[in-house]
């Protein structure tokens, strides 16, 4: 048996064990696991997270450290929730409260839809894997756009569980498949908030700093004339979640394609920023969000971009 088959089998066994336990016990184990993992997290990554938080939220180092740790510790329960997908599938309505579902159902039932799907835009806040399951279990034909895992066994496992919970999965390079499925009425779920790089993103203002931002949602909306539904999830004090779906946005289609996409991407970045400020301990601060601004742009270019975006340092 190869390494990939062994790792896949181990994950399946672990999942079965946690599904047999009371869910609260499994979550408690996840929290303990996260505390242990925090001890071994590199000081460089902790520093990056803390400095990002301080810069974005304008708070003290002590406050930033608390948020940084809380944001990292959520990955324990997140992992447990994914491992418990076979169990949560039948309990989704109790575990995730959905606000604004009518924004999607009204569009699905509208005559203007013409059979087309739409785009759902979100961020790396709370448990984005569980969010996809919540959409699917509430009757939304969701296509989750995923990054392929380097470990084959883990990739097979997570995609199997995403499918089990009701999602269709395509990898990021499957653009043709995304458009085909959108034409068939599916909703394309895009997590938009990571650093896109100089050549793959639009420049936007995000936490009063110029940065690159992924443009997939705006580009799809503009090309197919379909709406974008912003959606974000946060965790409640009892370890359940609330998923909020916002009214649709449409990307304009003028003669200036680049401007159309940049303006819509800026709107989405601003909405994401507002959600992060509301629930700062649930965002993925460990990501080097402004890396491309250091590596792909000169300081002079960054200064020029800040000026164009009206950012005053």
């Amino acid at each position: 048996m190869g390494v990939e088959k062994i790792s896949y089998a181990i994950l399946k066994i672990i999942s079965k064990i946690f599904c047999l336990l009371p869910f609260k016990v499994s979550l408690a184990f996840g929290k303990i696991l996260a505390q242990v993992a925090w001890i071994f997290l590199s000081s460089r990554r902790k520093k990056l997270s803390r400095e990002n938080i301080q810069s974005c939220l304008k708070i003290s180092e002590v406050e930033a450290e608390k948020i940084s740790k809380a944001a990292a510790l959520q990955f324990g329960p997140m992992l447990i929730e994914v491992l418990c997908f076979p169990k949560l599938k039948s309990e989704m309505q109790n575990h995730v409260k959905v606000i604004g579902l009518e924004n999607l159902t009204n569009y699905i039932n509208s005559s203007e839809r013409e059979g087309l799907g739409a785009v759902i835009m979100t961020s790396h806040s709370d448990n984005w894997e569980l969010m996809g399951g919540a959409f699917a279990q509430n009757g939304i034909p969701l296509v989750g756009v995923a990054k392929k895992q380097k470990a084959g066994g883990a990739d097979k496992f997570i995609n199997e569980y995403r499918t089990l919970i009701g999602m269709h999965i395509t990898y990021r390079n499957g653009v043709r498949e995304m458009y085909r499925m959108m034409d068939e009425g599916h909703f394309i779920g895009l997590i938009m908030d990571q650093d896109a790089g100089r050549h793959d993103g639009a420049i936007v203002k995000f936490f009063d700093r110029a940065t690159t931002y992924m443009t997939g949602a705006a580009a799809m909306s503009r090309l197919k004339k379909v709406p974008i539904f912003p959606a974000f999830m946060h965790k409640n004090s009892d370890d359940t979640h609330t998923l909020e779906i916002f009214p649709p946005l449409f990307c304009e289609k003028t003669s200036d394609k680049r401007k159309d996409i940049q303006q819509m991407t800026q709107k989405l970045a601003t909405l994401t920023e507002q959600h992060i400020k509301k629930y700062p301990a649930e965002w993925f601060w460990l990501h080097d969000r402004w890396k491309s601004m250091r590596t792909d742009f000169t300081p002079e270019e960054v200064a020029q971009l800040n000026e164009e975006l009206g950012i005053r340092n």
Side-chain angles (χ1 to χ4, degrees):
M1 184 181 290
V3 174
E4 293 184 2
K5 289 184 178 180
I6 293 173
S7 61
Y8 169 78
I10 291 173
L11 287 169
K12 290 284 287 186
I13 292 170
I14 293 172
S15 171
K16 287 181 179 180
I17 292 172
F18 281 119
C19 285
L20 289 172
L21 293 172
F23 186 59
K24 288 187 177 181
V25 173
S26 297
L27 280 181
F29 182 88
K31 292 175 183 179
I32 294 171
L33 182 65
Q35 291 279 358
V36 174
W38 173 257
I39 296 172
F40 294 98
L41 186 65
S42 72
S43 57
R44 181 187 66 84
R45 188 61 66 173
K46 289 178 180 178
K47 180 181 178 183
L48 169 69
S49 174
R50 184 176 64 250
E51 289 179 348
N52 275 343
I53 293 169
Q54 278 190 272
S55 175
C56 292
L57 302 182
K58 314 301 181 188
I59 59 177
S60 70
E61 182 175 345
V62 173
E63 292 174 307
E65 178 71 23
K66 290 180 181 178
I67 292 174
S68 175
K69 184 176 181 179
L73 292 184
Q74 71 175 336
F75 284 93
M78 282 173 61
L79 173 62
I80 295 299
E81 285 174 325
V82 173
L83 291 170
C84 289
F85 269 5
K87 185 175 185 176
L88 287 176
K89 182 178 179 180
S90 62
E91 302 173 6
M92 191 64 71
Q93 306 297 330
N94 295 325
H95 195 58
V96 181
K97 177 185 178 182
V98 182
I99 299 174
L101 184 63
E102 67 277 3
N103 289 317
L104 293 177
T105 55
N106 288 344
Y107 171 69
I108 290 174
N109 297 324
S110 68
S111 58
E112 293 82 6
R113 181 190 179 197
E114 298 180 348
L116 290 173
V119 178
I120 295 175
M121 183 285 300
T122 190
S123 69
H124 288 87
S125 292
D126 196 8
N127 190 339
W128 50 90
E129 295 287 352
L130 181 66
M131 183 192 302
F135 277 116
Q137 290 302 305
N138 277 279
I140 305 303
L142 182 73
V143 176
V145 180
K147 179 180 179 181
K148 189 171 185 178
Q149 302 296 311
K150 293 180 181 179
D155 191 65
K156 179 182 178 182
F157 174 84
I158 187 62
N159 285 334
E160 179 182 311
Y161 272 45
R162 288 163 173 162
T163 302
L164 179 149
I165 207 75
M167 293 183 272
H168 175 88
I169 297 299
T170 187
Y171 292 122
R172 291 179 182 176
N173 59 357
V175 178
R176 289 185 179 180
E177 182 181 13
M178 293 179 214
Y179 278 114
R180 176 180 61 79
M181 297 198 75
M182 184 185 290
D183 287 341
E184 295 172 356
H186 289 77
F187 288 71
I188 311 301
L190 297 176
I191 303 178
M192 300 287 298
D193 55 345
Q194 289 196 325
D195 191 358
R198 180 172 190 144
H199 302 293
D200 296 318
I203 303 296
V204 300
K205 178 182 178 182
F206 189 56
F207 285 103
D208 290 322
R209 299 166 70 182
T211 190
T212 62
Y213 214 89
M214 294 182 178
T215 59
M220 285 185 169
S221 175
R222 185 182 183 278
L223 178 63
K224 305 298 288 188
K225 298 181 180 179
V226 297
I228 302 168
F229 293 89
F232 302 100
M233 193 162 77
H234 68 268
K235 197 166 188 177
N236 303 315
S237 58
D238 61 354
D239 288 327
T240 62
H241 306 260
T242 297
L243 169 58
E244 186 170 4
I245 304 163
F246 292 84
L249 302 172
F250 288 83
C251 185
E252 283 191 276
K253 192 168 186 177
T254 70
S255 59
D256 192 337
K257 177 182 177 180
R258 183 176 180 180
K259 182 179 179 181
D260 294 343
I261 291 176
Q262 194 281 331
Q263 288 182 339
M264 174 50 67
T265 303
Q266 178 65 73
K267 288 181 182 179
L268 300 178
T270 300
L271 284 173
T272 301
E273 179 182 326
Q274 290 170 351
H275 177 79
I276 294 167
K277 286 179 176 177
K278 194 171 182 180
Y279 303 101
E282 297 183 9
W283 194 53
F284 187 32
W285 293 103
L286 292 170
H287 173 56
D288 194 353
R289 185 61 188 77
W290 284 267
K291 180 180 179 180
S292 66
M293 302 309 294
R294 301 192 311 270
T295 61
D296 298 356
F297 298 85
T298 66
E300 291 76 18
E301 286 177 315
V302 173
Q304 178 62 34
L305 291 171
N306 283 336
E307 183 176 343
E308 291 174 2
L309 293 168
I311 299 171
R312 298 287 180 264
N313 293 326

